[in-house]
Amino acid sequence: MHFKLSLCAALFGVAFAAPSSRRSAHVLHEKRAAEPLDWQLSHRLDANKILPMRFGLTQSNMHRVEELLMEVAHPESPLFGQHYTPSEIVDLFAPSDETISAVTRWLVDSGFSRDRLRLSANKGWISMEATTAEVEDLLNTEYHVYTHPSGDEQFGCHNYSVPAHVREHIDLIRPTVQFNHRPSPLALRKRGGGLGMPSARTGPKKSDKLITVTPSLDTCDENITLDCLRALYAVNYTPVATAKNSYGIVEFTPQAFLAGDLDLFFANFSPSLVGVRPKNVLIDGAVVQTTDQSFNFNGESDLDLEYSMGLTNPQPITLLQTGDLVEGAGFDNWLDAVDGSFCTFEGGDDPTQDGIYPDTAKGGFKGPESCGIIAPPFVVSVSYGQDEASVTAAFANRQCTEYAKLGMLGTTVLYSSGDDGVAGGGGVCLNSRHQPATNGKIFSPGFPVTCPFLTAVGATQINPGNTVNDPEGACEQVIFSGGGFSNIFPIPSYQTTAVNTFLTAHPPPFTAAQFNNSGKVRAFPDLSANGANYVIGIDGAFSLVFGTSASSPVVGSLITLINDARLAAGKGPVGFINPSIYSAGFASGFNDITSGGNQGCGRCLFLVLVLV
């Protein structure tokens, strides 16, 4: 049913050669997506520094990604639910021999001997080590060091070029223009790293309101509990196919749950789970640390696990804990772990975005990177994100394709849409050059949530004074649900009617000067669920939290229950759900949200959908 293409792996070794001049034939390939706020250009990078270069080769069948995904994901397709195998995915997208030959010939003609080059096992990347001087000559660029007030440093180039005849064979080259806009935790003298770095800008938001636990459906507008969610979304199902099912929650070290917090919550709201823990999958030297204990270190993980475990009980939950305490991790690291081909075929993790393992830093994880250590769970929820303006189109598309492949394998990938309305992280918007700016007025969408091959989850609320039987509104307590339109990704076919209807029937009171209103780009979120007034056990007490960080694992829990029913009936998991939730056949499963909005950058009113 799914065809295979021939796959031949070739491997190279290591040596040295002097490059020759090639500048005249070069054309611009990539430039930095956004100039970093709070970072200062300091000096040129040492010409003799060794750089771990990775050349991402153009994959085959990229023009068919959406078509192939829709074949197995659209409810009206005769192939619906007939997901691919990992080997079929590898064969479908492996770069052509012509592409491998063209890039290899360019590097060799540029003075790099063949024994310096290595081709990944599944032909997706060519790697080599080279000095800064060699790379600058090769790519017609200059590398500089940037410094942050925290003392952190990182390097990169503003743009780079490749020969015109090679450009079509290369997706991207790393490390080059990618830039991590977050200073490292080590520089801030905190443990942990990457996306899990404690910050008031990210993760769920905590209320200072003192609460007394008196579970009642009468007060769900003030205190959301498991029973409130079951009543709100008419959930009355106990899983029966747990041995066949799987649900993964991604957390980035040093974020970690506390066992005592889980038991405090479960003792009050799900007693049979007292003492039960998630199945820990430790990715790239990850640990579930207990040294640092506070809301900023434990709030995200406690929230995610208390509600995902509670709503799907007795389904075991898989914790995809990602990154060591020194370096941390990025999105590519958890993708590596669930898809070994992403390491060796699409890998080439970017040191400015992802954790690179083995970690050479003092105290870092010295083992090999975690490649394909677990099969992709049928549902994965991720409550982390970054600004779309912080990544290049090439970087974003490369990662987005991986989410499409997970969908083709039968996995539902959910990302929370953010808590700053139409603004970027911390409420930062874009200026006229689409660069993050403290006085920006242009809306700033997130990433990876704008990728059309995953499901973006926004937040709603039970409006004050209302009950679980009343229509919900867009979340406007403590946070504003993230949403808007991408500046990178075109509109997917499944979303065309919904977006055009929205822009025509309910046009936002803004112009192209504030957001991409062309009707030709990806809109998000895809659906929403409650994200306000969640009661959680945290650091030995109960607190209220808010955010799409709550909404995503709740939606993931409901999809997991649906998968359980399908598996019990001898069917497979639903996989990528977007074509279904936008289809007419599923319209009755959702409610339009007609009150509230997601403010930011001076105000906005993008409305969202909510699960019935």
Side-chain angles (χ1 to χ4, degrees), residues 453-577:
F453 305 136
L454 55 80
T455 303
V457 183
T460 55
Q461 66 183 29
I462 298 178
N463 292 322
N466 284 3
T467 72
V468 294
N469 299 313
D470 297 315
E472 289 186 274
C475 190
E476 295 183 305
Q477 298 181 66
V478 180
I479 66 109
F480 293 103
S481 178
F485 293 81
S486 174
N487 291 318
I488 291 179
F489 297 105
I491 190 170
S493 58
Y494 62 78
Q495 200 180 53
T496 302
T497 299
V499 169
N500 289 339
T501 300
F502 170 73
L503 291 175
T504 301
H506 309 284
F510 303 96
T511 69
Q514 285 83 42
F515 76 103
N516 192 327
N517 65 352
S518 66
K520 298 180 180 180
V521 294
R522 157 76 160 151
F524 75 104
D526 299 298
L527 49 75
S528 295
N530 195 282
N533 293 300
Y534 274 61
V535 176
I536 68 167
I538 173 69
D539 297 328
F542 287 107
S543 292
L544 292 182
V545 298
F546 302 74
T548 55
S549 289
S551 308
S552 182
V554 166
V555 172
S557 297
L558 301 183
I559 301 302
T560 297
L561 297 181
I562 293 171
N563 280 341
D564 184 275
R566 288 179 57 84
L567 293 167
K571 300 179 180 180
V574 293
F576 182 51
I577 65 173

Side-chain angles (χ1 to χ4, degrees), residues 13-216:
V14 179
F16 177 85
S20 59
S21 177
R22 300 153 299 280
R23 294 181 184 272
S24 60
H26 280 47
V27 294
L28 179 68
H29 192 64
E30 270 195 290
K31 64 179 180 179
R32 183 170 296 148
E35 292 306 314
L37 291 174
D38 302 325
W39 292 82
Q40 295 294 323
L41 189 152
S42 176
H43 56 274
R44 289 285 296 274
L45 186 64
D46 182 356
N48 295 315
K49 180 179 176 63
I50 302 297
L51 303 183
M53 301 306 299
R54 304 290 183 266
F55 300 82
L57 306 181
T58 301
Q59 301 168 80
S60 300
N61 291 306
M62 292 305 296
H63 63 292
R64 299 188 61 206
V65 170
E66 183 175 348
E67 170 199 345
L68 295 169
L69 179 58
M70 292 305 103
E71 284 182 349
V72 297
H74 199 287
E76 297 177 3
S77 169
L79 300 180
F80 176 75
Q82 299 181 32
H83 299 117
Y84 289 74
T85 66
S87 61
E88 287 174 327
I89 293 294
V90 168
D91 291 349
L92 270 171
F93 296 103
S96 67
D97 291 339
E98 178 188 1
T99 287
I100 297 171
S101 176
V103 176
T104 300
R105 185 165 55 249
W106 166 52
L107 293 174
V108 171
D109 290 347
S110 298
F112 298 92
S113 60
R114 286 182 177 270
D115 60 0
R116 293 184 67 177
L117 312 179
R118 289 192 306 114
L119 180 67
S120 60
N122 289 317
K123 307 196 301 182
W125 291 81
I126 290 177
S127 63
M128 70 177 186
E129 292 188 347
T131 66
T132 301
E134 289 177 312
V135 176
E136 288 182 337
D137 190 50
L138 179 71
L139 303 180
N140 192 12
T141 190
E142 292 183 355
Y143 280 81
H144 290 88
V145 175
Y146 295 79
T147 60
H148 189 270
S150 65
D152 198 11
E153 290 187 349
Q154 61 179 300
F155 67 87
C157 59
H158 182 270
N159 57 66
Y160 68 91
S161 302
V162 298
H165 73 279
V166 172
R167 187 179 186 186
E168 66 177 302
H169 298 292
I170 294 177
D171 272 349
L172 74 170
I173 301 174
R174 301 172 174 170
T176 51
V177 298
Q178 297 78 28
F179 200 92
N180 184 356
H181 293 247
R182 302 177 303 272
S184 73
L186 289 179
L188 297 175
R189 299 187 180 183
K190 293 180 180 178
R191 301 179 71 190
L195 291 166
M197 184 181 77
S199 169
R201 291 178 51 177
T202 59
K205 307 303 183 289
K206 182 180 178 183
S207 169
D208 293 330
K209 178 182 176 182
L210 297 177
I211 63 171
T212 302
V213 177
T214 54
S216 170

